[in-house]
Structure formats: structure tokens, C-alpha cells
Amino acid sequence: MTGVLDGIRVLDYGRFIAAPWCSALLADMGADVLRVEKREGGEDRWVQSVTEGGEGGTFLQCNRNKRSLTLNSVTPEGAEITRRLVQRSDVVIANMPLAGMQASGLDYPTLRDIKTDIILASATAFGEGGPYSDRIGFDGAGQVMSGAVYRQGLPDLPIRTVVPQADFGTALTMTIGVMMALFHRAQTGEGQHVEAALLPTALMLSNAFLIERHLLGTDKPRMGNRGASVAPCDLYRVTDGWVLLQVAGQPMFRRWCRLIGRADLVDDPRFADDDSRWAHGDFLNDLMQEWCEGKTKAEVLAALDAAKLPAAPLHSTQDVLDDPHVQAMGYLKPVAFPGASRDVPIIETPFRMSRTPGTIRRRAPLLGEHTDEVLSEIGYSAAETADLRDRGVV
């Protein structure tokens, strides 16, 4: 099947999540993505090791459908290899500070001198042009500086989410930017620099909190798993686990009142709208918890589903792997990887297209697995490649 990005070549200098997941999505859609990393391997390759060789779970997810070239790009020979790779590429993706980009010849002016219509997509922690631009930062920096963590957690303990939402969100926004840049280039022949950063991505996710603060001058307190603006909304304990319920709007509230046998609450002025229900959320959430007492997860979910109320079970990681809907939809594709004890469940392309779907065509690459192949493609003989390897260039 032809991919929508067949024929597009991408150089991926990304590490960890923001840049690698962006290039992985492009690879899913057919782009030829080449991961360029240090001879000893990028740091992200070995985080959260799950294989005999030491590759980590996030690496396996974020680097499927790619080839791997090892390269010391700061040597003269490495710079020449970089130049040849850029000459035949459409997109360069990286997430490193500007100084590192310049040292590796990956800054936009340098790339544009090599290939005038090149598209550079770069991700940083805070964005270029401000007082924090030279700082480094991971996902957590975006979370805690966006106002989100200030609003989430327990009353005396702010808690950041273990899910790297700023990282993956930045990957998604950068992917959109790359596609827009490719569309623009197809119309005009012009390349451009696409910039993404963790902090503005996190600000996007927490923007409603900032608007509320700016206009009303207030911050709602941290309330654990309870809703930030609606009620009843919480995780409720049942005999065999936990169930999430989120009620928003008057029609849902009416159905919930009937379900728990409290139709008298529908016309109570304390619960006239979402804001007033949130203000009395402790009362409503306590009623829901009382209703759940003695019931199983299946019983609660069946009743909530029959009442057309949005609810879901709290899944363990094993529950996710065993979930019949996840399995039926094929959201996690089993992919073999050398040194893994069994096939690796890799998330499929997280959107589906009816005519040009994304596909996982190959596993994540071993370190330098395609170095000889790629160098041959850009004009190096086997003897020249062997010499480059002996001298520590590749």
C-alpha cells in the first residue's frame, strides 16, 4: 500500500520523545526516516530497558519504521556525510539547544545553504528568543511551568502526571507544523523552519486555567481526582477496583439523579448548573460513593452505561493489554524485536485514515543497523565505509 508520504526523506536527530515521535508518525505515513545517533547510541535508546540489548520501551515505540546510522557529525568527515544526507532530504528534525544545532551543522541557515528548500523542525524546552531559551528541560519542566501541576494533586501536594504529556503533545504539534510546511513547499517551492517547544504545548493544555485566573482572579483548589469544573466527577471505589464517572450538563445530571434514587436533587437550586454543582461537589461525590458501596466494577459500569453516563474502569497496565476493545481494534500491534522476551505491543498510528492509513512496517532499528546501507546510498564504497568506521567517524 502506498503511503501518503512515500518519497519524503527525513533526517531524525531527535532524542527521547518530542522529535522522535514526530518523525515516527511521518514514518508511519510512508516517509523514509533515518535516525542519526552517536556511535555509542543516543541516551534515549537505553532508558527504561526492556530487552537483552538494553533498548527501552519508549525507544521501541518512538523509533519504529526508521533506519539507524551512527555518526560523529563534528568531525570533518562527519560533516561531509551530514552535507550529503541533507542534500537528498526533505525534512531535518532535531531537539537540542541552538548551540548544539550550530555545532552539528543543523541550524537553519546552514541547512538552507546546503539545500534551499529544506524544512527544519526543531523542538526545545522553552522556545527560541526568550530569557529561558538556553535552558534545557524535559517534559516535567513544561508541566510545572504551565500552571497545570499547581492545579492538580492533593490539597497539600501538587502532583505532576507520570505520562509525558508535554513531550508527546509537542511531538504532535511539530508533526502538524511539518505537514503544513510540506504543503507550503508543494505550493511555493520554499522550505522553512518549524519550531515547537514543551512550554507552549503545556500552556495550550492548561490555557483554560490561565483564562480563568486572568478574568476571575481565582484558582480552584487541588482536589485529587475530583472534577475541576463539574460534579459529580471522581474515581469511586467499588468492591474490586475503581470506576471513573464524569457528569457534565443538566441532562446528564438528571439521569444521574434518577439512577441513584435522588430525583429530588434535580430542582435543588444548589445544583442548577455545572458551576454550582462543582461548588457542592463534595456532597454529590459522597452520594455517588455511597451508591457504589457493595457493588462490583461490572455492576456499576453496566448501570452507568444503561443511564448513558460517561464512565470507565480504572485499568492496570495488564488490564489494558487484556482489554477486549483494545484487542479488537488492534490499537497495540505485536512487533518482534531482537532480545525481547516476546513480541512488543507497539501503539499503532494514533489516527486512522480510510485511504492512506499509517502502518508499522518495521521494528525500531538496532544501533547503526543501516550505516553501511545508507553510506552506500550517498556514494561511499565498502572500503571507504570501513575506513570511516576504523577512524571512529561512523
Side-chain angles (χ1 to χ4, degrees), residues 10-14 18-19 22 26 90-96 101 106 108 111 118-124 174-175 177-179 181 192-196:
V10 177
L11 290 179
D12 176 11
Y13 293 86
C22 167
L26 301 177
D90 301 283
V91 181
V92 175
I93 296 178
N95 53 336
M96 62 181 76
M101 301 277 283
L106 299 176
Y108 184 56
L111 294 174
I118 196 72
I119 294 168
L120 170 64
S122 63
T124 60
M174 189 156 66
T175 303
V178 169
M179 295 308 300
Q192 61 181 297
H193 184 187
V194 177
E195 295 184 72

Side-chain angles (χ1 to χ4, degrees), residues 137-217:
F138 286 142
D139 171 88
Q143 287 196 40
V144 300
M145 291 184 66
S146 70
V149 178
Y150 181 79
R151 286 283 307 274
Q152 67 193 29
L154 304 175
D156 59 348
L157 181 64
I159 300 175
R160 70 176 178 90
T161 175
V162 68
V163 175
Q165 58 188 25
D167 264 333
F168 277 105
T170 300
L172 296 177
T173 57
M174 189 156 66
T175 303
I176 294 170
V178 169
M179 295 308 300
M180 295 298 178
L182 286 169
F183 185 72
H184 173 78
R185 194 183 69 171
Q187 293 178 313
T188 67
E190 299 172 342
Q192 61 181 297
H193 184 187
V194 177
E195 295 184 72
L198 302 179
L199 182 55
T201 296
L203 293 175
M204 171 189 70
L205 299 174
S206 65
N207 197 190
F209 295 161
L210 306 178
I211 292 170
E212 185 178 58
R213 173 68 192 187
H214 184 70
L215 297 182
L216 303 181

